[in-house]
Amino acid sequence: MAASLAIASSALSTLYRIVVYLFLQVAPVSKAKYVIPVLYLGYALASYFGAPAFSQVIAVKEEVVAIEQEKSERNGHVVTDVAVQETTTIIPVVEPPTLKSALSAIIFSVPSPIRALRTTNFVINTLLLLAAVEFVFYPYFDSASDVVYTRVGALYPDAVKIVVRYPAANSTENLVRVVWRQADGKNDSETPWREGPIANLTAERDWVQSVSLRGLWPSTSYEYRFEDLNSTALPYPTTPIQFHTAPDPRLHSGSHYRFIASSCMTPNFPYMPLQGRRIKGLDLLTDYLWPSKPHSTAPSSAVAQNISDEDMSMSTSPVIQSVNDTSAENVTAPANITTAVPAPEKSVPPTAFMVFMGDFIYADVPIYFGDDAEAYRRLYRRNYNSPSFRKVYERLPIIHTYDDHEIINNYAGLGNSSLPPYPNATNAFELYNADANYDPIEEGQYYYDFRYGDAAFFVMDTRKYRSDIFSDEPSSHTMLGDKQLTALYNWLGKVNNTAVFKFVVSSVPFTALWTYEALEDTWAAFPYEKSALLSAFQSVPNVIVLSGDRHEFAAIEFAAGDGGHNVLEVSTSPMSMFYVPFIRTLKPRSEEVVNRTREEVIIKEDGNMEVVKHVEEVPREKVLKYIAEGNYKWSTIEVDTRDYAHPVVRVEIMIDGKPAYHLEVLGKPIKLQSTTALGALVPQSLRGMLDRIGLKPSRWF
């Protein structure tokens, strides 16, 4: 019996370690937090009662004894008679283990007679249990109630939104004034501070408020800090926070900037002991954006695709070029493809902002602390208390949308804003993230649109209005709801010829190629609404969909029929979370096809040319590139419209801090009207002088 328990102890210990490893390093599945203590208890009991079976080892030692009995004389010779007797002595011996056997006993939990090895296994398993407990309960005990922070959200040509959290001791209210000035890098210390808005911070609102700073110049650098009402500078921030206003969209001289897109993050995953506030993906992003040593911006591979001017003139869709891709099967382009040498190093444009596409917190992973306003707020405070995140949000403006894990897994709101846990969950989302976004299209909503230079953005709300897909007719299911759909269609019409590139932000993938649970949580579950939207997207040139959620990267091309425009989707996540190894859930192409006419010029024997049209079937959705591996992923989207005839978007995919894939989208030229905005044409040096004499630049444009 004891021997059986000892073997069971070894088996339970091995299974326990596997489950803990998967929970802390691979995927923090919620059910594991119940399985782990049960396995540990089973291992401890079996180890305790099975120990006597391995308390001693009996070794058998054989001895041979020679005994001389007598000597005698025979035939004149002395003869010695010897009797040989074999005896076996049983001696109990506990032999010391070899290094190999000791390591096997510790690593694989092999039953051992050595008490020290059994004790070592027990200590290791106990430490693993404590690690799991720390990972699960750290968010609860790390309330971060005293965190002080500020960041920039929405950037306008003449304004900016600023978030501040500044709790006051022994009070229920704290009045903090924003003071600001232009920051041109020259004699900033001599530039006087100007009084800005006052943030009325209250305990009821968790000491958080977003304020708007207005009357600014477009494309201008500023800095701000805080004072109390007595004009005394507050200790935080220790150095002023800088930002750069958006360009005037009416000045169509072209833009060149980049922004970051990603989603899904939680502190300390994969788990490391005593690192509860670290978000490693943001540490890598910090090094990428502000490296101590400059990074090379040239592709590391000599593989590229060049499309001739003739091919471009025949296409009404953006031409997609894949750079630094060693997998030829993942590349699509017209037939005329040549190999190019690596591009020379280029100057890196400024990073203007970051779009965070949801799952900013994980309210239900690894444990759901309940539908309580404080439970949700605590998780936001924890993120903003992270030194990793602070290095980013104090230097980079961030705008947000939300997804299910800000509420609860696979949440569908049914258009009911009072449906628990939506009210408390979105209260925290508003305070910490949404209030600093661009103004919503309709008051009280979380979808919005904005312009940055000559690019337009529409950020969806994919949770509040989504239907229950398991009820009613599929044709009636909606992701966005009637009002949001109307706003999106109106936006498409408005930006059709007034913006070069159009970015549609969806927290969940637009493609239907992801399988398993994605068939219920992504746009695949809303085929009718998706099909109508895709038709609308393909009627507008240069539409790019940005999405997250799947903890993988994929670039998807949506093919259009004749006269339409191809649409590209770039889906990127996680910023800092798990990915699932070995299991692949993305189909390479859709079964649904579209017909497209291809023209071929044939030269006859008589020298005349004949244009032959071929109708070919192409997949409606096709994967250009798929990368599942990596705990830390983000996309860098570079928008370059300085060359009116050749606008381009360059996408760089960063995985675990290293470049993994490059994509180049050549957009269709859009003729935009010129501006009459005088303020956009004024040099920054003159703007500073006008500011000092009290002229309001916002009246000039």
Side-chain angles (χ1 to χ4, degrees), residues 14 84 108 125 139 192 206 242 279 286 288 296 333 359 407 418 438 456 460 465 469 494-495 552 614 682:
T14 301
V84 179
F108 301 105
N125 287 345
D206 208 22
Q242 296 193 353
I279 306 176
T286 299
Y288 171 79
S296 173
D359 291 345
I407 309 169
S418 61
Y438 290 89
M460 300 178 179
Y465 297 100
I469 63 171
K494 181 174 62 177
V495 302
E552 297 176 331
H614 302 277
V682 178

Side-chain angles (χ1 to χ4, degrees), residues 315-344:
S315 173
T316 60
S317 306
V319 178
I320 300 175
Q321 295 184 339
S322 177
V323 182
N324 198 22
D325 181 8
T326 58
S327 177
E329 63 182 5
N330 290 327
V331 178
T332 62
N336 187 3
I337 302 174
T338 60
T339 301
V341 298

Side-chain angles (χ1 to χ4, degrees), residues 450-700:
F450 67 97
R451 296 287 297 267
Y452 197 92
D454 43 20
F457 296 76
F458 189 100
V459 181
M460 300 178 179
D461 178 348
T462 66
R463 289 295 165 184
K464 181 177 181 180
Y465 297 100
R466 69 162 58 199
S467 304
D468 179 3
I469 63 171
F470 302 104
S471 63
D472 302 327
E473 290 294 325
S475 59
S476 66
H477 294 166
T478 179
M479 173 86 80
L480 304 182
D482 292 340
K483 288 186 177 180
Q484 187 176 182
L485 270 174
T486 301
L488 179 53
Y489 285 130
N490 288 341
W491 174 82
L492 285 170
K494 181 174 62 177
V495 302
N496 188 1
N497 293 309
T498 61
V500 179
F501 288 102
K502 298 89 175 174
F503 294 96
V504 180
V505 179
S506 172
S507 67
V508 294
F510 192 67
T511 180
L513 295 181
W514 262 292
T515 57
Y516 294 95
E517 75 281 358
L519 295 175
E520 299 175 359
D521 196 48
T522 69
W523 278 92
F526 303 86
Y528 292 92
E529 188 168 271
K530 175 196 167 183
S531 178
L533 266 180
L534 181 58
S535 296
F537 291 163
Q538 291 177 332
S539 69
V540 177
N542 305 337
V543 172
I544 298 175
V545 178
L546 304 176
S547 66
D549 179 67
R550 299 310 305 162
H551 295 204
E552 297 176 331
F553 163 75
I556 312 292
E557 184 181 35
F558 298 83
D562 295 337
H565 306 278
N566 289 357
V567 172
L568 173 69
E569 177 176 8
V570 178
S571 186
T572 315
S573 61
M575 181 73 244
S576 194
M577 224 323 188
F578 73 90
Y579 78 95
V580 179
F582 308 121
I583 300 175
R584 299 295 170 257
T585 63
L586 188 67
K587 297 187 298 184
R589 60 188 60 82
S590 64
E591 296 179 0
E592 187 179 3
V593 298
V594 295
N595 294 324
R596 197 159 55 188
T597 302
R598 180 174 59 87
E599 294 184 350
E600 181 182 5
V601 177
I602 299 177
I603 300 178
K604 297 182 178 181
E605 294 181 357
D606 57 4
N608 295 323
M609 292 187 299
E610 180 182 1
V611 178
V612 179
K613 295 183 178 181
H614 302 277
V615 177
E616 57 184 5
E617 291 184 344
V618 296
R620 181 174 291 276
E621 302 179 28
K622 181 178 180 180
V623 175
L624 301 179
K625 187 66 176 179
Y626 174 43
I627 306 175
E629 297 81 5
N631 292 103
Y632 319 106
K633 303 184 183 80
W634 67 84
S635 293
T636 302
I637 316 293
E638 180 184 344
V639 180
D640 189 352
T641 59
R642 294 171 297 177
D643 184 348
Y644 159 75
H646 303 93
V648 62
V649 163
R650 302 179 185 93
V651 182
E652 181 180 48
I653 307 304
M654 299 292 296
I655 297 181
D656 294 340
K658 299 177 181 179
Y661 181 64
H662 291 78
L663 193 68
E664 191 168 273
V665 182
L666 304 181
K668 179 182 178 181
I670 304 295
K671 186 176 182 180
L672 305 175
Q673 296 180 352
S674 301
T675 183
T676 58
L678 179 58
L681 307 175
V682 178
Q684 183 163 321
S685 58
L686 179 57
R687 299 176 197 174
M689 183 185 69
L690 295 175
D691 277 338
R692 291 185 178 91
I693 63 177
L695 293 179
K696 296 293 184 180
S698 58
R699 299 175 181 173
W700 293 61

Side-chain angles (χ1 to χ4, degrees), residues 113 151 217 238 260 307 368 394-395 445 634:
R151 70 174 181 89
W217 294 96
T238 54
I260 306 297
I307 289 51
Y368 183 55
E394 288 185 344
R395 301 175 70 177
Q445 304 300 325
W634 67 84

Side-chain angles (χ1 to χ4, degrees), residues 211-226:
V211 296
S212 295
L213 185 60
R214 303 184 184 278
L216 308 178
W217 294 96
S219 300
T220 304
S221 296
Y222 293 92
E223 61 184 11
Y224 71 91
R225 68 182 189 191
F226 301 113

Side-chain angles (χ1 to χ4, degrees), residues 3 13 39 74 96 284 295 309 356 594 650:
S13 177
L39 289 175
R74 297 176 184 175
L284 296 174
H295 298 314
D309 292 338
F356 202 92
V594 295
R650 302 179 185 93

Side-chain angles (χ1 to χ4, degrees), residues 417-450:
S417 58
S418 61
L419 183 68
Y422 187 83
N424 286 334
T426 54
N427 170 264
F429 173 67
E430 280 186 20
L431 290 174
Y432 283 91
N433 288 352
D435 283 349
N437 288 336
Y438 290 89
D439 295 335
I441 296 172
E442 183 178 338
E443 187 69 25
Q445 304 300 325
Y446 298 130
Y447 56 89
Y448 56 95
D449 70 285
F450 67 97

Side-chain angles (χ1 to χ4, degrees), residues 167-184:
N170 304 319
S171 179
T172 59
E173 185 181 54
N174 189 22
L175 299 178
V176 174
R177 184 189 298 277
V178 180
V179 294
W180 60 278
R181 64 185 179 187
Q182 188 172 315
D184 55 12

